[in-house]
Amino acid sequence: MEYNAKQIQIIEVAERLFADKGFAGTSVRDIAQEANVNVSMISYYFGSKEKLIEALFAMRMGESRSRMETLLSNEDLIPIQKINVLIDSAIDRLMGNQCFHNIMMREQLSSERTPTITEHIRTLKLRNIQLMQQLIEEGQAIGAFRKNIDLSLMTTTLYGTINYAIATQDFYKRINGLEDMEEAEFQIHLRRKLSQHLKSLFKSTVTNEHHNQD
Amino acid sequence: MEYNAKQIQIIEVAERLFADKGFAGTSVRDIAQEANVNVSMISYYFGSKEKLIEALFAMRMGESRSRMETLLSNEDLIPIQKINVLIDSAIDRLMGNQCFHNIMMREQLSSERTPTITEHIRTLKLRNIQLMQQLIEEGQAIGAFRKNIDLSLMTTTLYGTINYAIATQDFYKRINGLEDMEEAEFQIHLRRKLSQHLKSLFKSTVTNEHHNQD
DNA sequence: TTTTACTAATCAAACGTTTGTTTAGTAAAA
DNA sequence: TTTTACTAAACAAACGTTTGATTAGTAAAA
């Protein structure tokens, strides 16, 4: 599906509002007003409000297709470096599309699921976990990584930490006395902190450099 | 505030529906029907739909007051054991109140904030991080823990991982081939796995047993 | 060149439903 | 009698969607 300029404008406004107020909490009139279009244009272009959010997912999913994968397969890095690239790439992806990932998070919290959206999310999560699996197995093959690593929960920690950090960034600001920092600067600060934290976490957990297991 | 049996019944139904479909996605008629009461009882008892969710927060916050704190101050455990108690207690609390914490998560994702609820969440998060701080400082004081630990992000990883694991438990089931496991059994399984994973993660990250820093 | 036929984009208005809340009333309890 | 617990009905407002009309543009026919 290709979208014209006006359709993209509507989708982008909808994305911001859905992230702010939820799908049910956003009216088509809200979207129309902010996007400076007539209410009926949403039905005209997308068929329904429901199909608008599906169009949003279709668009964003189409964009993100395999950026990480190529990033990793080419270079000849050692396993822990590849893990670090994976971490930074996940941080960039989530922090750079906060609205969309906010909507994805809401969708996963909900039991009122749209099949096509559920499928999109499943595909994305599968891709993420398989990439992680590949990297960890590479490290294990050359004896650099521990044998018993819980793949699912390692992935859960990676994405759970980033998502939760984004969701609670106001609290983070306040706790760390960064309320006066400029927004753009704060975003960079948070990225760097997350990067350091997650790399340190993964390094000490997956590598073989320490005795483990209780 | 004290609530009678019927009020509690309404609150508990509302909690389940808000968790499933979101606040805006749940109508007062949905709640009334599932709770077998007249629609007007919600306004009668709580004043408004908005004040109903505030009552829910008031009730749940009142329940959870300082269970962990006492659990930790008494016993004479070594620092890493206290961290382990903290982890298990957080898992129990979040897994045992999935609906409520689902609503809390949604509330944090939203920018349409009710001041009293925001304040409740802030209080809870502050309590969590201060407890973590206390335990980590104890460990650092006797030289058992590393010096430079990012307190905020350690807490973010703890709660982020648990919350995300709960939100994506269907995916976890499928990935690990546990679709046929009975629900109660699965909940226990997930708790144990989370416990092992987080304890291993924290142990290797906060203790001094390895060289660190890049 | 002018006319005709057709299409896509846009609009204000209206449609029927559902929303949260209020009202007016009833019946039992105090 | 007054208070409390509860209800059915009604309310205005907001909801997603549809409608019929208008505009601007294109392309073939005259």
Side-chain angles (χ1 to χ4, degrees):
Chain A
M1 252 289 172
E2 293 290 296
Y3 303 106
N4 65 39
K6 202 143 232 169
Q7 284 173 302
I8 291 173
Q9 183 191 356
I10 293 171
I11 291 177
E12 285 176 347
V13 167
E15 180 179 47
R16 204 183 69 243
L17 294 182
F18 289 160
D20 271 4
K21 325 200 285 177
F23 179 74
T26 305
S27 74
V28 291
R29 284 173 175 83
D30 289 340
I31 299 167
Q33 190 168 31
E34 294 248 343
N36 288 309
V37 299
N38 191 277
V39 215
S40 55
M41 296 310 290
I42 286 160
S43 295
Y44 175 73
Y45 275 130
F46 302 99
S48 68
K49 185 188 175 188
E50 190 69 39
K51 284 183 185 159
L52 167 58
I53 196 177
E54 291 180 24
L56 164 61
F57 268 84
M59 192 178 88
R60 288 278 179 255
M61 296 291 293
E63 286 172 359
S64 82
R65 172 131 303 127
S66 67
R67 252 184 325 147
M68 287 190 304
E69 283 83 341
T70 55
L71 199 75
L72 285 161
S73 56
N74 302 351
E75 323 190 28
D76 46 355
L77 305 166
I78 62 169
I80 190 64
Q81 287 174 322
K82 286 198 178 183
I83 294 279
N84 286 347
V85 172
L86 174 73
I87 289 170
D88 279 330
S89 142
I91 292 172
D92 282 349
R93 191 153 44 92
L94 268 62
M95 295 269 314
N97 299 281
Q98 295 187 24
C99 284
F100 181 65
H101 284 92
N102 177 312
I103 297 170
M104 270 197 45
M105 192 73 233
R106 285 179 190 270
E107 206 64 32
Q108 295 182 82
L109 288 173
S110 180
S111 70
E112 288 199 320
R113 299 200 172 97
T114 310
T116 73
I117 292 181
T118 305
E119 190 52 32
H120 274 142
I121 294 177
R122 225 173 59 81
T123 303
L124 200 61
K125 289 179 71 60
L126 209 60
R127 232 193 280 162
N128 290 338
I129 204 171
Q130 281 171 345
L131 187 57
M132 174 87 84
Q133 179 167 31
Q134 183 195 317
L135 296 198
I136 285 182
E137 282 175 356
E138 279 182 33
Q140 287 171 331
I142 65 164
F145 290 175
R146 286 172 42 200
K147 270 294 166 201
N148 56 334
I149 294 171
D150 192 320
L151 193 64
S152 305
L153 290 184
M154 240 18 236
T155 313
T156 301
T157 287
L158 176 59
Y159 291 98
T161 299
I162 302 173
N163 272 318
Y164 200 68
I166 292 172
T168 64
Q169 57 188 297
D170 283 0
F171 182 78
Y172 179 92
K173 252 187 214 166
R174 191 189 282 243
I175 274 287
N176 294 83
L178 305 173
E179 288 140 303
D180 295 335
M181 188 182 271
E182 227 182 288
E183 188 53 29
E185 194 187 347
F186 171 72
Q187 294 296 319
I188 293 168
H189 166 90
L190 185 55
R191 275 181 207 230
R192 181 157 45 231
K193 283 291 179 184
L194 266 172
S195 177
Q196 286 172 3
H197 170 71
L198 286 168
K199 284 174 185 171
S200 157
L201 210 65
F202 270 68
K203 186 182 178 192
S204 47
T205 306
V206 302
T207 60
N208 243 332
E209 299 166 6
H210 58 95
H211 58 82
N212 53 269
Q213 228 101 311
D214 31 326
Chain B
M1 251 293 177
E2 293 290 294
Y3 303 107
N4 64 41
K6 202 147 230 168
Q7 284 173 304
I8 291 175
Q9 183 191 357
I10 292 171
I11 291 178
E12 285 176 346
V13 167
E15 180 178 47
R16 202 184 69 242
L17 294 182
F18 288 159
D20 272 3
K21 326 202 285 177
F23 179 75
T26 305
S27 74
V28 291
R29 283 174 176 81
D30 290 340
I31 300 167
Q33 189 168 31
E34 294 248 340
N36 289 309
V37 298
N38 191 277
V39 214
S40 52
M41 296 307 291
I42 287 157
S43 295
Y44 177 72
Y45 276 132
F46 302 98
S48 69
K49 185 188 175 188
E50 190 69 40
K51 284 183 185 159
L52 167 59
I53 196 177
E54 291 181 25
L56 164 62
F57 269 83
M59 192 177 88
R60 288 279 178 256
M61 295 291 293
E63 286 172 358
S64 82
R65 172 130 304 126
S66 67
R67 251 184 325 149
M68 287 191 301
E69 283 84 340
T70 55
L71 200 74
L72 284 161
S73 56
N74 302 350
E75 324 189 30
D76 46 355
L77 306 166
I78 63 170
I80 190 63
Q81 287 175 320
K82 287 198 179 183
I83 294 278
N84 286 346
V85 172
L86 173 74
I87 290 170
D88 279 331
S89 144
I91 292 173
D92 281 349
R93 190 152 46 89
L94 268 62
M95 295 269 312
N97 300 281
Q98 295 188 24
C99 284
F100 181 65
H101 285 92
N102 178 313
I103 296 171
M104 269 196 47
M105 192 72 232
R106 284 180 191 270
E107 205 65 33
Q108 293 183 85
L109 288 172
S110 179
S111 69
E112 288 200 320
R113 297 200 173 98
T114 311
T116 73
I117 292 180
T118 305
E119 190 51 34
H120 273 142
I121 294 176
R122 225 173 59 81
T123 303
L124 200 63
K125 289 180 70 61
L126 209 60
R127 233 194 278 164
N128 290 338
I129 204 170
Q130 280 171 345
L131 188 56
M132 173 88 83
Q133 179 167 31
Q134 183 194 319
L135 297 197
I136 286 183
E137 281 175 358
E138 278 183 33
Q140 287 171 330
I142 65 165
F145 290 175
R146 287 173 42 201
K147 269 298 167 198
N148 55 334
I149 295 171
D150 193 321
L151 193 64
S152 305
L153 290 184
M154 238 23 234
T155 314
T156 300
T157 287
L158 176 60
Y159 290 98
T161 298
I162 303 173
N163 271 319
Y164 200 68
I166 292 172
T168 64
Q169 57 188 296
D170 283 0
F171 182 79
Y172 179 93
K173 252 187 216 166
R174 190 188 281 243
I175 273 287
N176 294 84
L178 304 173
E179 289 140 301
D180 295 334
M181 188 182 272
E182 227 181 288
E183 188 53 28
E185 194 188 349
F186 172 72
Q187 293 297 318
I188 293 169
H189 167 90
L190 185 55
R191 275 183 209 228
R192 181 158 44 233
K193 283 291 180 184
L194 267 172
S195 177
Q196 286 173 3
H197 171 71
L198 286 168
K199 283 174 185 171
S200 156
L201 209 65
F202 270 68
K203 186 183 177 193
S204 49
T205 306
V206 302
T207 60
N208 242 332
E209 301 166 4
H210 59 95
H211 58 83
N212 53 269
Q213 228 103 315
D214 34 325

